[in-house]
Amino acid sequence: MNGQSQSKLKKILQLVPPGFLVDTGWMRRHAISRQSTSAYVKNGWLEPVTSGVYRRPFTSDANPEATIGWKIPLLSAVWLMRRKFHVGSASSLALLGHSHYLHLGGEFALYLYGSDIPSWLPKLRIDAQVLVRSNALFGEATTGIENMDFTLSNDDDPELTQSPWRWPMPMSSPERAILEMLDEVPKGESFHNVDMAFEGLANLRPKLLSTLLALCRRVKTKRLFFVYADKHNHAWRRHIDMSEIDLGRGDRALTQGGRLHPVYRITIPAELMPTEAHDGP
């Protein structure tokens, strides 16, 4: 290997932690040719993951489960490959400890939002079901998206302990995530799961909620939010100014066999109706 190739290999070893991924775009930005890439693969310094994507091998003592973990691919896409997207909906709530019971057993449902999600990401053999969503709910507004550290909830995460760097991941705050979750009802998310999630959201920030509700583009989602907000009646509900929120006109049919909410004019399961309406004739 000549000196130039050694210098470029050194760059990979310095910039890419063990187990992290790079793509051909990253290679081009660092002036690493296809020939050099092929040589690195041949010598075991990189390993192919899928078309155009390579992993710097894990260290020999890495936990085997780390090779199928979904966190490192996400961090690689955001921080090394410069892709713009975020984790949201029930995935974000679960990771932030607000609704861990939503995904007990089975494969973790990983909701990703954005227009720049790598096409290879849902195809990887990882321990999560990747669910790609657009930015339709809030447009390009980034309000309520915050960089969160995956390791906050588990400092012994086997997927990240091999890495010298612990990068944060853009994720929806609880305020944004619950609206994203509501937007999945009824086809992608159940009324019951949302009800359980709302029960644990006693500490939401009303100012941020008000801003997000004003930005939200779907009347169904906003009306359904207030159905649950009124039902659980957390302290923050009293501080939501509805005068700035467009709830649209006319009735909305959301579920067959449901009942029409007397205030928000949307059909919902009978158990979500206000008490006086539910108990009345």
Side-chain angles (χ1 to χ4, degrees):
M1 182 182 296
N2 60 37
Q4 187 178 25
S5 295
Q6 287 179 330
S7 175
K8 291 176 180 177
L9 175 60
K10 184 179 180 181
K11 184 175 294 185
I12 292 178
L13 299 180
Q14 288 176 333
L15 298 179
V16 183
F20 276 66
L21 311 180
V22 291
D23 63 358
T24 52
W26 188 92
M27 297 290 189
R28 284 195 300 270
R29 288 196 301 274
H30 291 85
I32 297 171
S33 67
R34 289 184 180 180
Q35 291 81 1
S36 294
T37 301
S38 297
Y40 300 154
V41 171
K42 183 178 180 180
N43 286 281
W45 297 313
L46 288 176
E47 55 189 27
V49 176
T50 188
S51 179
V53 181
Y54 305 88
R55 176 190 287 116
R56 181 184 170 191
F58 284 95
T59 56
S60 59
D61 59 343
N63 188 319
E65 294 182 4
T67 61
I68 61 168
W70 55 265
K71 295 177 184 178
I72 284 179
L74 259 62
L75 292 171
S76 299
V78 169
W79 293 106
L80 291 176
M81 305 178 204
R82 304 178 181 178
R83 307 302 284 263
K84 302 294 184 182
F85 63 93
H86 70 278
V87 177
S89 190
S91 308
S92 183
L93 289 174
L95 291 167
L96 295 173
H98 290 276
S99 53
H100 62 280
Y101 43 79
L102 295 182
H103 297 284
L104 290 177
E107 202 171 32
F108 182 69
L110 181 59
Y111 285 91
L112 302 181
Y113 289 79
S115 58
D116 195 28
I117 300 168
S119 60
W120 49 263
L121 195 48
K123 302 174 185 176
L124 292 184
R125 295 182 60 188
I126 54 177
D127 56 353
Q129 177 190 12
V130 177
L131 301 169
V132 174
R133 298 292 184 265
S134 70
N135 286 325
L137 191 61
F138 295 104
E140 297 303 315
T142 58
T143 306
I145 299 175
E146 304 170 355
N147 282 336
M148 308 286 190
D149 188 348
F150 280 139
T151 63
L152 287 177
S153 59
N154 183 5
D155 287 336
D156 296 321
D157 191 328
E159 297 165 15
L160 297 178
T161 51
Q162 299 301 319
S163 171
W165 301 340
R166 296 203 171 180
W167 296 324
M169 180 68 200
M171 299 201 307
S172 292
S173 64
E175 292 82 2
R176 181 169 178 139
I178 192 59
L179 288 169
E180 292 168 338
M181 188 177 181
L182 282 164
D183 199 51
E184 294 290 322
V185 175
K187 292 183 179 180
E189 191 58 84
S190 71
F191 289 97
H192 174 72
N193 277 356
V194 172
D195 199 29
M196 295 293 288
F198 256 90
E199 185 177 340
L201 296 176
N203 297 316
L204 297 187
R205 294 164 286 185
K207 185 175 181 180
L208 178 56
L209 267 176
S210 297
T211 301
L212 288 167
L213 286 163
L215 289 170
C216 184
R217 296 179 170 187
R218 290 192 172 143
V219 167
K220 174 210 84 170
T221 301
K222 290 183 284 188
R223 291 189 187 185
L224 199 52
F225 170 84
F226 283 108
V227 169
Y228 284 102
D230 288 358
K231 177 179 184 292
H232 290 275
N233 198 27
H234 292 306
W236 49 260
R237 173 64 182 92
R238 297 190 294 274
H239 302 284
I240 301 294
D241 181 6
M242 295 184 63
S243 65
E244 300 296 322
I245 301 165
D246 180 12
L247 294 179
R249 298 177 181 275
D251 297 342
R252 294 292 195 277
L254 189 59
T255 180
Q256 290 185 346
R259 297 179 60 182
L260 186 66
H261 194 283
V263 178
Y264 301 115
R265 312 304 297 174
I266 189 169
T267 56
I268 54 176
E271 59 267 24
L272 293 179
M273 291 289 285
T275 303
E276 59 273 15
H278 186 63
D279 293 341

